[in-house]
Amino acid sequence: RMGGWPRAALFGIAAGMADAFMAVIVKAFASSFDLGFPGILRTWTPYAVIGAGITAMLLIQTAYQAGQPKIALPVITVIDPLVSCLIGVTLFGEDVLLGGLRAPLIGIAAGFMFFGLVALARTSPVTDAKASEASADHE
């Protein structure tokens, strides 16, 4: 129901999360290769890859259509690795090395990413171009 950059940003977040979940499902799919082709077809993974791929593609395309790609693409690009890292830590028991200066540097980088995305979404060339397109469509 909302429009403009918030809609593009929210669909970008959903698309980035879908990309991250797609990576997890593809990892599960790849681990079933030792079953052979008929064995793979008896598992859930190829069907999950197809369903998740279609869902991710639809969310990405919707994010691009909801607003300018200048908003959606950076959001997808930032959210995907963050969610992938979170999934890796929680589901696969991966470790993130935060010793020494890594933790503060990661925090600073995450802050810059967040504020950069907000600033990008609110820049007048992006929002003005979208507003002029919307007014031209209504005329």
Side-chain angles (χ1 to χ4, degrees):
R1 296 185 178 182
M2 69 177 69
W5 72 266
R7 181 178 174 92
L10 289 175
F11 273 115
I13 290 169
M17 291 175 68
D19 278 351
F21 285 115
M22 182 70 189
V24 171
I25 293 171
V26 167
K27 179 178 173 149
F29 177 63
S31 67
S32 66
F33 283 171
D34 58 346
L35 300 173
F37 185 72
I40 289 173
L41 295 178
R42 288 190 295 267
T43 65
W44 61 272
T45 55
Y47 310 105
V49 167
I50 292 168
I54 291 170
T55 302
M57 182 182 62
L58 288 174
L59 283 170
I60 291 168
Q61 291 304 314
T62 304
Y64 291 151
Q65 290 176 357
Q68 292 190 4
K70 291 179 182 180
I71 296 169
L73 181 61
V75 171
I76 294 169
T77 303
V78 168
I79 294 296
D80 183 2
L82 292 178
V83 173
S84 294
C85 184
L86 181 65
I87 291 171
V89 169
T90 57
L91 291 181
F92 298 118
E94 299 288 336
D95 293 322
V96 178
L97 302 175
L98 297 175
L101 288 176
R102 287 187 180 129
L105 290 176
I106 290 171
I108 291 169
F112 276 119
M113 285 189 305
F114 175 76
F115 288 114
L117 289 173
V118 171
L120 181 63
R122 293 180 179 250
T123 53
S124 60
V126 173
T127 54
D128 288 347
K130 188 65 181 170
S132 66
E133 287 176 17
S135 65
D137 290 340
H138 292 294
E139 291 178 2

